[in-house]
Amino acid sequence: MTEKLFYRDSMIKEFQAKVVSCSPLSEEEYTNRGINYEVVLDRTAFFPVGGGQYADTGVLRLADSQIRVLDVREQDGIVLHCTDRPAEPGTAVTGVLDFEERFSKMQQHTGEHIVSGIVNRHFGYRNVGFHLGDEAVTMDYDGPLSGEELRRIEWEANRAVAEDIPIEVLYPTEEELDTMVYRSKIEIEGQVRIVRIPGYDTCACCAPHVKTTGAVGMIKITGAIHYKGGMRVNMLCGFRALEDYNRKEESVAAISVRLSARQEEVVQAVSRLEEEIAGQKEKIKRLQEHYLKRRLSEVTPDTPAVLLFEEELDPAAMRRFVNDAMEITEGICGVFVGSDKAGYRYVLGSSGRDITALAKEMNQACSGKGGGRPPMVQGSLTGKRKDVEKVLLGRKISSKV
């Protein structure tokens, strides 16, 4: 049984220990992460993966070198340190945690307790899923929450932070546990460890937490979606929340400069830009229709082929032009949008030719693909304009701009 220092003091950054055993792993295990050994210490401050929280990382320092701890697991009360190098049994080591990572995880996990306690108290919902990843924190609740309710929850959670409440860790007897109201996601055997935040939450939990709610820092709900009849809520706490705020502030500042608008007015500026873009699109659409009508007026019943090559044209206009042209002539009617360098999207039709066979021949000659039913097919190709014209017109024609 490994002595678990993380339960004694969650703020331990370094500790002294002795190597109990070291076992090599099979090639199939962990090789993609560079993990090759499992090291057991007599005592450790490294928290193993569990309870929705990933494991601590760090190093084991020897007299003249160090071993990287890349993952930590627990099996039958024994903590297994997954390392990149072996450690000789009996060797004294200094365990050094990546404490910046550990502290961030404690901020997130304690923040989750505060938020989930508030959700449970006000709405009766249970936290049925929790994941603390490298960046995101997600919590799944078994009931819906509105945007206004989430804002109220966030505000109350930050009030709990401001109160700087000492966090209690309890190991109640079975008799005490029978009289205690607490949250728990799973059935627990043996000694139950209770983490209590007076006035906000009481929950069975095995993970390390900060000492007071003030150490959590800012709690920010960053998003929420309806999920399996309930709600999946995304949250960031402490330094992660600050980093997220800084990234978003930089984005807003850059947008405000580009739009020549104050930061607090970027939404209105974007709305104006959207209106301008919509107006320009409508203008382009009218010009496009006028241009296609003019090109269509050049088509006569005895026109053998109408091939239109353009750099830009929307798909609906492509199909409409081919349909209109087929009403005038039984020849080949086609629109190709793109360039020799980038390739072409095409719509091809004919009321008097076997368009399927013709398109197949063109695709084979011009590295294309597509399909459809006569009298119209569509697809894309990477060949050049002169190659397309050679197939469809039956003779070589110089490429035109």
Side-chain angles (χ1 to χ4, degrees):
M1 185 77 72
T2 308
E3 182 184 353
K4 299 165 186 173
L5 302 177
F6 47 80
Y7 285 151
R8 182 188 301 178
D9 184 357
S10 64
M11 298 300 290
I12 293 176
K13 301 178 180 67
E14 295 188 13
F15 63 95
Q16 306 300 315
K18 185 176 289 186
V19 178
V20 175
S21 66
C22 178
S23 305
L25 294 174
S26 65
E27 292 185 4
E28 292 79 20
E29 295 182 283
Y30 298 104
T31 51
N32 60 327
R33 295 179 56 192
I35 298 174
N36 297 305
Y37 297 89
E38 284 182 342
V39 175
V40 176
L41 306 177
D42 61 344
R43 60 207 302 262
T44 187
F46 285 94
F47 181 73
V49 63
Q53 180 171 315
Y54 61 100
D56 289 331
T57 60
V59 297
L60 301 178
R61 287 180 181 163
L62 306 173
D64 57 353
S65 62
Q66 66 181 25
I67 299 167
R68 289 192 302 159
V69 177
L70 302 171
D71 197 4
V72 186
R73 298 181 294 160
E74 183 176 357
Q75 184 176 322
D76 299 326
I78 297 173
V79 178
L80 306 171
H81 303 77
C82 304
T83 66
D84 64 338
R85 294 174 50 211
E88 187 70 26
T91 303
V93 298
T94 299
V96 182
L97 277 67
D98 180 343
F99 197 75
E100 183 176 343
E101 176 191 54
R102 155 68 85 80
F103 188 73
S104 176
K105 287 185 291 190
M106 291 196 297
Q107 286 183 311
Q108 314 312 310
H109 205 141
T110 308
E112 180 271 322
H113 277 248
I114 294 171
V115 170
S116 293
I118 293 170
V119 169
N120 184 258
R121 185 170 73 254
H122 288 314
F123 303 97
Y125 301 155
R126 297 176 301 128
N127 182 338
V128 293
F130 169 61
H131 176 70
L132 199 171
D134 291 331
E135 297 180 1
V137 178
T138 60
M139 303 164 291
D140 294 338
Y141 298 109
D142 58 0
L145 294 164
S146 68
E148 179 60 33
E149 288 167 342
L150 287 167
R151 283 188 287 274
R152 282 167 35 208
I153 291 164
E154 181 184 81
W155 187 269
E156 188 171 343
N158 281 281
R159 187 172 64 196
V161 170
E163 291 173 1
D164 198 26
I165 302 165
I167 294 170
E168 303 171 1
V169 177
L170 310 173
Y171 294 90
T173 63
E174 289 187 14
E175 292 76 15
E176 290 171 331
L177 199 63
D178 287 340
T179 63
M180 188 178 293
V181 178
Y182 64 97
R183 295 188 303 110
S184 179
K185 299 186 189 72
I186 59 173
E187 292 293 328
I188 304 172
E189 296 182 1
Q191 178 65 63
V192 177
R193 181 175 184 265
I194 297 291
V195 175
R196 175 185 287 166
I197 304 173
Y200 290 92
D201 188 44
T202 302
C203 183
C205 184
C206 63
H209 297 271
V210 294
K211 299 287 189 178
T212 69
T213 57
V216 173
M218 179 174 65
I219 296 175
K220 182 61 185 172
I221 293 174
T222 58
I225 59 171
H226 291 282
Y227 181 73
K228 294 184 177 180
M231 213 75 185
R232 170 162 286 182
V233 178
N234 299 325
M235 176 193 73
L236 294 172
C237 300
F239 292 112
R240 290 193 187 183
L242 179 61
E243 290 173 355
D244 182 68
Y245 181 92
N246 287 338
R247 285 193 297 268
K248 291 173 180 175
E249 183 184 38
E250 289 174 2
S251 295
V252 171
I255 293 169
S256 71
V257 170
R258 287 171 178 259
L259 298 180
S260 300
R262 291 190 298 181
Q263 291 189 19
E264 61 270 25
E265 296 176 349
V266 293
V267 174
Q268 296 92 318
V270 169
S271 296
R272 289 194 297 271
L273 183 61
E274 287 176 335
E275 291 176 3
E276 291 176 12
I277 292 172
Q280 292 296 326
K281 285 183 176 179
E282 188 61 33
K283 183 178 181 180
I284 291 170
K285 183 180 178 181
R286 291 196 300 270
L287 290 172
Q288 180 177 272
E289 290 175 351
H290 178 74
Y291 168 70
L292 293 177
K293 284 180 180 178
R294 183 175 66 80
R295 293 301 304 268
L296 201 62
S297 67
E298 300 170 0
V299 182
T300 64
D302 57 353
T303 301
V306 183
L307 301 183
L308 189 62
F309 286 83
E310 300 294 337
E311 289 189 2
E312 294 182 11
L313 208 59
D314 70 73
M318 293 170 67
R319 291 190 296 271
R320 191 161 54 248
F321 180 85
V322 172
N323 270 321
D324 291 345
M326 283 194 299
E327 291 183 5
I328 301 172
T329 177
E330 294 185 353
I332 302 167
C333 304
V335 178
F336 296 81
V337 175
S339 66
D340 280 3
K341 183 177 180 180
Y344 294 92
R345 292 180 291 113
Y346 69 81
V347 176
L348 200 63
S350 177
S351 59
R353 296 284 299 274
D354 185 350
I355 199 64
T356 304
L358 198 59
K360 183 178 180 181
E361 182 184 349
M362 180 186 69
N363 286 333
Q364 289 175 343
C366 302
S367 301
K369 60 181 179 179
R373 294 181 178 179
M376 183 183 291
V377 294
Q378 58 187 22
S380 62
L381 53 84
T382 57
K384 297 185 182 300
R385 174 176 175 173
K386 65 179 182 180
D387 299 323
V388 172
E389 291 176 324
K390 182 179 179 181
V391 173
L392 298 182
L393 300 177
R395 56 192 177 90
K396 191 171 182 179
I397 297 177
S398 298
S399 178
K400 300 182 180 67
V401 179

